[in-house]
C-alpha cells in the first residue's frame, strides 16, 4: 500500500487485510492496458497507447470533442470566434488553469497565452529552439499539414491567442482536439532547456490534466496521482495505475482476481466468457476505427496496383473475421467505418476470388508469385485481437495464389518506429479517428505530407488524391465534402492501398465497483470521473 494511503488508513488496517487487496486499493483505480507508451511527449508519437498514457490523463487541449453529443466543447479555451472568411481564430483562455506541481517542477504562474504559443511553435517553427529536440519529429502536425496551414500565431493579451490560417480549413477546430495538440508549460520547457535536459519533457511530463505523472517502469506500470487543482474538478479516485499487461488472457485473470478494475482491449472470446460472470460488467460502443493491412506501395512488386488488388482478392475476409474477431466486428470495405458521414456504401470492394488474383499476378509478370513479408505485433489489441492467427490466415491465403510471405513478429514500439520509416511490406495496423470527421482518416493515412511524417503506411502519394483531400478541407459544405470524399474512397479502393479488415466493437471489462466509465468510439480514455463503489 502506498505510504500516503497508509497514513490515512492506519486504524482499519486489520480489516483491510482481511477483506483483501481490492479493498486495500479502494482509492486507486487500476487499469490493465495492452502495451507500453512510446514516451510521454505526445507530439512525437502517433500510437493510441501513447495518447492514452499522456494526452488523455495528463493534458488538455484548447477544445475537446465530446463523443456523446458529437460536438466540440470548450476546454482550456472557454470560448472562441472564427472570422467570416474562416482565416482568423481567436481563442479566449480560462484564467484558472494550474500546471502540475511535481517533485521536478513547481509552476510560477497559471496557464496563459505563452504556453499556447510555445506548444504550437515548437511543432511549426524550425527556428524555435525546441523544434529539433523531438527525436521522432512531429508526425501528426506534419501529416495534418499544420506548418503550411497556420500562417501566424499571435498573443493578443495574457489570455487571448489569435491563429491566422493561410486558407480556410473546415477541419481545423476538430484537429485541435487531437492528442498532439495538447498544451505544454512554456515555463517548464524553459527550465529544462536552461538545465540542458530538454529530453526530460518525454520522461517527466507536466500538464494541466486530471492526473499528475508519478512514475513509469517500462513494460510494467505507469503511476499517476489525482490532480486536486484540476480546473474541471478533482478526480474521484486518489491514484491511477496503468498495469501494462500485453496478454489479454492475463488482463482478464487480473480483473477477476481484483488486481485491475478495468481491462482494456479484451479478446472477443473473453467478452463472451465474461458475460455470465456476476463480478464483471461489459462496457462497449461501436468504434470509429478501421483495422487494415497497409501495403507499402514503394516496395516492388507492391508498387503495382494489380499486385495490391491481387492481395485483396486472395484474402478470405469472412473466415478472418470469424476466427480473429469472433464475429464481433463488421467487415471493412475501405478506410471509413459505415457510420461516417461521407461513407461510400456503393463501392464494390474486393470479394474473395483467388482465381482472379492469380490472373492479375500473371498479367503483372508474376505468374510464379513472389516473396514478401507480413509484419504484426506480438500481443493483441482492439484492432488486432489475435495477431498471430491473423498473420497466419493471411499467409495461407497468399500462398494459395503463389505469394510466399514470411511472418515477422515485432515488438510494438519498434514496429511503429520501423513502419513509419517505411521498412515494412505488409503491415497489420489500425487507425482510430479522433473527432468524427472523415478527413481524420484521409489526411493522416493518404496524403503526400503524411508519407514524409510516416503515418501514411501505404507510402502512397498521388496528386489527384491530395487535391481531393485538400478540397474537402477547404469547404464547410458537408454535401460538397461528401462528394469529394466518395471520389477519394473510390481512388483508394481502385489503387488497393489497404487490405481493409474490420470495424470492431470497442469493449472494456470492468469490475462491478467501477462507476462513471464509458468506452470512447475513438479509443480515447477519460478516467477523470470514474468512481469506485464499496
Amino acid at each position: 500500500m502506498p505510504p500516503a494511503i497508509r497514513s490515512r488508513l492506519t486504524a482499519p488496517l486489520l480489516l483491510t487485510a482481511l477483506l483483501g487487496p481490492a479493498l486495500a486499493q479502494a482509492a486507486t483505480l487500476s487499469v490493465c492496458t495492452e502495451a507500453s507508451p512510446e514516451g510521454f511527449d505526445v507530439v512525437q508519437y502517433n500510437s493510441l497507447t501513447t495518447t492514452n498514457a499522456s494526452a488523455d490523463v495528463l493534458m488538455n487541449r484548447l477544445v475537446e470533442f465530446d463523443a456523446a453529443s458529437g460536438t466540440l466543447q470548450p476546454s482550456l479555451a472557454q470560448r472562441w470566434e472564427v472570422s467570416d472568411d474562416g482565416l482568423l481564430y481567436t481563442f479566449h483562455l480560462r484564467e484558472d488553469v494550474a500546471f502540475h506541481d511535481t517533485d521536478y517542477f513547481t509552476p510560477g504562474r497559471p496557464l496563459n497565452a505563452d504556453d499556447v504559443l510555445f506548444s504550437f511553435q515548437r511543432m511549426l517553427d524550425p527556428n524555435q529552439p525546441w523544434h529539433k529536440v523531438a527525436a521522432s519529429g512531429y508526425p501528426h502536425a506534419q501529416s495534418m499539414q499544420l506548418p503550411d496551414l497556420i500562417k501566424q500565431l499571435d498573443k493578443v493579451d495574457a489570455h487571448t491567442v489569435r491563429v491566422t490560417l493561410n486558407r480556410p480549413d473546415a477541419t481545423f477546430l476538430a484537429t485541435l482536439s487531437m492528442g498532439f495538440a495538447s498544451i505544454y508549460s512554456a515555463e517548464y520547457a524553459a527550465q529544462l532547456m536552461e538545465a540542458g535536459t530538454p529530453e526530460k519533457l518525454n520522461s517527466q511530463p507536466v500538464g494541466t490534466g486530471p492526473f499528475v505523472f508519478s512514475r513509469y517502469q517500462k513494460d510494467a506500470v505507469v503511476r499517476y496521482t489525482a490532480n486536486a487543482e484540476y480546473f474541471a474538478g478533482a478526480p474521484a479516485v486518489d491514484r491511477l495505475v496503468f498495469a501494462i499487461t500485453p496478454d489479454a488472457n492475463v488482463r482478464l485473470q487480473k480483473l477477476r482476481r481484483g488486481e485491475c478494475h478495468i481491462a482494456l482491449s479484451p479478446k472477443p472470446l473473453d467478452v463472451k466468457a465474461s458475460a455470465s460472470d456476476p463480478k464483471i460488467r461489459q462496457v462497449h460502443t461501436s468504434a470509429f476505427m478501421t483495422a487494415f493491412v497497409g501495403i507499402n506501395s514503394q516496395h516492388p512488386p507492391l508498387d503495382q496496383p494489380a499486385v495490391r488488388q491481387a492481395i485483396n482478392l486472395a484474402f478470405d475476409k469472412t473466415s478472418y473475421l470469424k476466427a480473429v474477431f469472433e464475429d464481433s466486428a463488421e467487415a471493412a470495405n475501405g478506410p471509413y467505418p459505415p457510420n461516417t458521414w461521407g461513407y461510400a456504401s456503393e463501392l464494390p470492394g474486393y470479394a474473395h476470388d483467388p482465381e482472379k488474383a492469380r490472373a492479375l499476378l500473371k498479367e503483372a509478370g508474376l505468374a510464379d508469385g513472389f516473396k514478401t513479408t507480413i509484419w504484426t505485433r506480438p500481443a493483441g489489441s482492439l484492432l488486432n485481437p489475435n495477431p498471430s492467427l491473423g498473420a497466419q490466415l493471411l499467409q495461407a491465403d497468399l500462398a494459395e495464389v503463389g505469394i510466399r510471405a514470411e511472418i515477422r513478429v515485432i515488438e510494438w514500439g519498434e514496429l511503429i518506429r520501423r513502419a513509419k520509416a517505411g521498412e515494412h511490406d505488409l503491415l497489420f495496423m489500425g487507425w482510430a479517428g479522433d473527432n468524427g470527421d472523415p478527413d481524420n482518416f484521409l489526411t493522416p493515412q493518404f496524403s503526400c505530407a503524411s508519407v514524409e511524417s510516416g503515418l501514411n503506411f501505404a507510402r502512397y502519394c498521388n496528386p489527384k488524391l491530395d487535391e481531393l483531400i485538400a478540397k474537402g478541407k477547404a469547404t464547410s459544405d458537408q454535401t460538397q465534402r461528401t462528394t469529394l470524399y466518395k471520389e477519394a474512397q473510390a481512388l483508394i479502393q481502385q489503387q488497393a492501398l489497404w487490405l481493409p479488415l474490420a470495424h470492431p466493437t470497442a469493449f472494456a471489462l470492468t469490475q462491478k465497483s467501477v462507476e462513471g466509465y464509458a468506452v470512447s468510439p475513438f479509443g480515447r480514455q477519460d478516467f477523470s470521473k470514474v468512481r469506485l463503489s464499496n
Side-chain angles (χ1 to χ4, degrees):
M1 183 186 299
I5 295 182
R6 186 186 297 120
S7 64
R8 300 205 315 260
L9 300 181
T10 301
L13 269 179
L14 179 59
L15 178 60
T16 296
L18 292 173
L19 290 179
L23 183 58
Q25 299 295 327
T28 299
L29 176 65
S30 180
V31 182
C32 280
T33 65
E34 69 269 28
S36 295
E38 300 156 276
F40 295 91
D41 185 12
V42 68
V43 299
Q44 298 191 47
Y45 308 108
N46 64 286
S47 78
L48 191 57
T49 298
T50 298
T51 297
N52 293 160
S54 54
D56 289 351
V57 293
L58 297 172
M59 314 193 83
N60 298 100
R61 277 62 51 197
L62 292 174
V63 299
E64 303 288 358
F65 186 80
D66 180 64
S69 64
T71 60
L72 289 166
Q73 299 292 326
S75 184
L76 297 179
Q78 57 186 347
R79 68 181 193 281
W80 57 87
E81 296 100 31
V82 184
S83 63
D84 291 340
D85 61 6
L87 296 178
L88 296 179
Y89 288 73
T90 303
F91 296 95
H92 303 274
L93 307 179
R94 296 178 63 107
E95 299 184 20
D96 60 345
V97 179
F99 281 100
H100 298 159
D101 190 337
T102 71
D103 293 340
Y104 45 87
F105 175 65
T106 299
R109 59 166 176 77
L111 173 139
N112 65 26
D114 293 331
D115 303 305
V116 178
L117 263 61
F118 163 75
S119 299
F120 286 98
Q121 286 172 342
R122 71 176 289 221
M123 294 188 286
L124 306 178
D125 182 4
N127 298 315
Q128 214 277 353
W130 271 87
H131 186 77
K132 294 181 180 179
V133 168
S136 303
Y138 302 94
H140 268 301
Q142 186 175 348
S143 67
M144 304 304 286
Q145 303 169 29
L146 290 193
D148 181 58
L149 175 62
I150 296 178
K151 179 179 181 179
Q152 189 170 323
L153 292 156
D154 293 299
K155 175 182 175 181
V156 178
D157 58 43
H159 291 92
T160 308
V161 173
R162 180 174 296 129
V163 182
T164 306
L165 303 185
N166 281 310
R167 59 185 180 275
D169 190 312
T171 70
F172 179 63
L173 267 180
T175 296
L176 297 186
S177 72
M178 295 172 65
F180 84 95
S182 296
I183 303 303
Y184 288 73
S185 167
E187 187 183 18
Y188 180 48
Q191 172 184 306
L192 292 177
M193 190 64 80
E194 184 178 353
T197 57
E199 71 281 354
K200 287 187 176 179
L201 195 68
N202 193 39
S203 59
Q204 295 182 337
V206 165
T208 57
F211 294 93
V212 181
F213 179 80
S214 177
R215 186 164 61 89
Y216 171 47
Q217 183 179 347
K218 184 173 172 55
D219 298 329
V221 66
V222 190
R223 298 185 184 278
Y224 310 86
T225 58
N227 179 10
E229 305 301 319
Y230 186 44
F231 67 89
V237 295
D238 296 324
R239 290 170 178 77
L240 173 66
V241 172
F242 281 11
I244 300 165
T245 314
D247 191 314
N249 292 324
V250 178
R251 291 197 294 275
L252 179 59
Q253 292 167 15
K254 285 186 175 183
L255 183 72
R256 284 175 167 160
R257 292 197 301 262
E259 296 174 21
C260 287
H261 296 102
I262 301 173
L264 302 180
S265 300
K267 292 192 303 184
L269 194 62
D270 292 341
V271 172
K272 291 182 179 179
S274 64
S276 59
D277 192 326
K279 298 180 181 179
I280 294 178
R281 178 183 292 122
Q282 296 184 0
V283 191
H284 62 88
T285 189
S286 296
F288 193 63
M289 304 176 186
T290 303
F292 63 94
V293 174
I295 305 175
N296 191 336
S297 64
Q298 293 180 340
H299 285 189
L302 303 176
D303 56 340
Q304 300 182 56
V307 174
R308 301 193 296 266
Q309 292 167 4
I311 289 171
N312 272 263
L313 291 164
F315 190 57
D316 185 351
K317 192 178 301 181
T318 300
S319 296
Y320 169 82
L321 290 173
K322 186 174 185 62
V324 174
F325 282 90
E326 300 279 339
D327 290 328
S328 67
E330 185 174 354
N333 198 34
Y336 289 166
N339 57 353
T340 313
W341 62 263
Y343 175 72
S345 58
E346 65 274 14
L347 292 178
Y350 292 90
H352 182 219
D353 192 338
E355 184 177 346
K356 187 174 181 180
R358 283 188 285 268
L360 284 174
L361 290 175
K362 185 176 181 179
E363 291 174 16
L366 296 164
D368 295 329
F370 63 93
K371 292 182 179 180
T372 191
T373 60
I374 298 170
W375 287 23
T376 193
R377 60 191 292 170
S381 66
L382 171 60
L383 287 160
N384 193 354
N386 194 330
S388 176
L389 178 58
Q392 290 169 19
L393 290 171
L394 177 58
Q395 181 188 49
D397 285 346
L398 293 180
E400 286 291 319
V401 300
I403 300 174
R404 300 173 297 282
E406 175 192 351
I407 297 173
R408 296 182 182 173
V409 180
I410 303 173
E411 184 273 327
W412 175 243
E414 182 184 358
L415 182 141
I416 284 288
R417 178 182 60 79
R418 294 178 60 185
K420 285 168 64 176
E423 296 180 26
H424 62 284
D425 293 326
L426 305 178
L427 172 72
F428 274 86
M429 187 50 64
W431 190 255
D434 290 82
N435 49 41
D437 193 292
D439 177 72
N440 205 240
F441 283 83
L442 293 187
T443 290
Q445 284 298 314
F446 300 103
S447 70
C448 292
S450 202
V451 175
E452 298 176 29
S453 70
L455 296 190
N456 183 335
F457 295 114
R459 310 292 296 177
Y460 183 79
C461 174
N462 180 305
K464 174 61 176 176
L465 183 54
D466 241 26
E467 181 184 10
L468 292 170
I469 294 172
K471 285 182 176 179
K473 293 194 290 187
T475 177
S476 58
D477 186 307
Q478 188 166 313
T479 300
Q480 292 182 34
R481 294 183 73 195
T482 294
T483 299
L484 292 164
Y485 291 159
K486 285 190 174 184
E487 188 175 347
Q489 289 170 79
L491 196 159
I492 290 166
Q493 186 172 103
Q494 186 275 326
Q495 287 292 318
L497 303 179
W498 283 5
L499 167 53
L501 298 175
H503 306 297
T505 299
F507 277 94
L509 303 178
T510 79
Q511 292 185 16
K512 287 294 181 68
S513 60
V514 174
E515 300 175 354
Y517 176 74
V519 175
S520 165
F522 311 121
R524 304 291 292 273
Q525 298 293 336
D526 182 4
F527 301 111
S528 63
K529 297 178 176 61
V530 175
R531 302 172 302 279
L532 297 175
S533 62
N534 291 331

